[in-house]
């Protein structure tokens, strides 16, 4: 098939001569200039989610600033034993324990409490240092995700409000984590990332899927799909992307057919008006959070498991990743 046209490189700034540079790019912005002041800082939501996929393990970690609270969560899945995830989650009022980097390409994101420490340093990708409880053990060590093509998007949400997201999947990973006495070797594995800063709508919802895997012919694949949050007028998400051996191209909109029991039953994901994407996702388990602070609440379920099917000409047979359904009133 004909290669999709290459995406452009991002400008140096969100605004040039007063004009917002909304669009989709294959390189990230080096400055993420959405810094609200006063009460508007509670409208600003930002997070960095990363995952590592190897033949033996899947490890995911999220650092989330909701303005009124900071959140750290992590989980690890032993793929060999096919066991349920071991998890950790904690909150920090007003986000005191959390510092988000000024952009996805510059600076450090930190979580620091007596019981948990996380450092994510942006450097041609991301370096992570972890020392956190996970189940009855501790997860310690270092991981790295090496930079390849990105999917970066600056999107207008409403008058005077924008969202910026920098996505990656199928990037090379390295390092080693230790979960108690068990070693999680990341060398030869793959990494994915979602770095987002958004002046979010009061009610925000989305469906999302992410995977990183190696196909039977040795092709390295990464995938990012969403619906309902960054859609154009035709209902096509603008952040849908496929990585093939590190090179990114855009995909058209998809429909998520979510089962009544999303934590255990298969999901289907298919293109809205083409045959680019035909996937089935089988959950092996799920992480979920249902938090309410009166006028604000967050409900999400993130199953982890295996994808089978097809994306363009690429056949998937058991690639590991996640899907998510999310609704927030914030």
């Amino acid at each position: 098939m004909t290669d999709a046209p290459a995406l452009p490189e991002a400008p140096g700034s969100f605004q040039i001569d007063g004009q917002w540079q909304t669009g989709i790019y294959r390189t990230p912005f080096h400055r993420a200039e959405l810094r609200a002041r006063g009460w508007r800082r509670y409208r600003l939501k930002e997070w960095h989610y990363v995952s590592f996929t190897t033949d033996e393990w899947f490890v995911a970690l999220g650092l989330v600033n909701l303005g009124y609270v900071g959140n750290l969560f992590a989980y690890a899945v032993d793929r060999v034993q096919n066991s349920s995830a071991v998890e950790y989650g904690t909150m920090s009022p007003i986000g005191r324990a959390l510092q988000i980097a000024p952009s996805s390409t510059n600076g450090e994101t930190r979580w620091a409490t007596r019981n948990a420490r996380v450092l994510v340093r942006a450097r041609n990708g991301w370096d992570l240092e972890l020392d956190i409880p996970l189940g009855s053990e501790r997860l310690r060590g270092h991981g790295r995700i090496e930079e390849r093509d990105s999917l970066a998007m600056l999107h207008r949400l409403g008058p005077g409000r924008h969202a910026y997201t920098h996505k990656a999947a199928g990037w090379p990973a390295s390092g080693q984590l230790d979960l108690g006495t068990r070693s999680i070797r990341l060398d030869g594995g793959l990494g994915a990332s979602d770095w987002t800063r958004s002046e979010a709508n009061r009610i925000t919802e989305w469906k999302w899927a992410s995977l990183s895997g190696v196909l039977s012919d040795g092709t390295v694949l990464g995938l990012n799909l969403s619906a309902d949050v960054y859609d154009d007028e035709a209902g096509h998400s603008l952040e849908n992307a496929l990585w093939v051996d590190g090179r990114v191209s855009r995909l058209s909109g998809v429909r998520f057919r979510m089962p009544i029991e999303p934590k255990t039953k298969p999901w289907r994901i298919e293109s809205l008006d083409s045959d680019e994407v035909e996937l089935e996702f089988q959950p092996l388990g799920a992480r979920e959070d249902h938090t309410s602070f009166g006028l604000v609440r967050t409900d999400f379920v993130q199953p982890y498991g295996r994808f089978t099917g097809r994306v363009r000409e690429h056949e998937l047979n058991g690639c590991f990743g996640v899907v998510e359904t999310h609704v927030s009133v914030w």
Side-chain angles (χ1 to χ4, degrees), residues 8 43 46-47 69 71 78 118 121 124 128 156 171 201 209 215 237 250 269 294 296 300 319:
R43 168 70 58 90
E46 48 190 356
W47 60 81
V69 67
N71 177 223
D78 185 337
V118 178
R121 181 180 295 110
N124 299 320
L128 288 80
R156 183 179 182 272
W171 286 12
N201 294 327
L215 306 186
S237 173
R250 290 181 63 189
I269 307 172
V296 296
F300 83 86
C319 288

Side-chain angles (χ1 to χ4, degrees), residues 139-211:
L139 181 67
R140 296 185 172 100
H142 169 263
R144 173 158 177 77
I145 300 175
E146 193 73 36
E147 184 177 29
R148 294 293 186 267
D149 272 2
S150 297
L151 190 287
M153 182 185 68
L154 181 63
H155 183 72
R156 183 179 182 272
L157 292 174
R161 294 189 298 107
H162 293 79
Y164 173 64
T165 187
H166 175 192
K167 298 289 174 70
W171 286 12
S174 59
Q176 179 168 316
L177 304 173
D178 294 310
L179 180 57
T181 60
R182 293 176 288 176
S183 294
I184 302 175
R185 294 181 176 86
L186 304 178
D187 291 356
L190 298 171
S193 172
D194 173 354
W195 195 100
T196 295
R197 178 168 288 153
S198 172
E199 297 171 298
N201 294 327
R202 168 72 172 147
I203 301 175
T204 299
E205 58 184 298
W206 64 71
K207 305 287 191 302
W208 178 62
S210 174
L211 71 85

Side-chain angles (χ1 to χ4, degrees), residues 151 224-227 237-242 249-254:
L151 190 287
N224 184 85
L225 299 171
S226 76
S237 173
L238 299 175
E239 66 165 358
N240 291 348
L242 172 69
S249 60
R250 290 181 63 189
L251 294 168
S252 60
V254 297

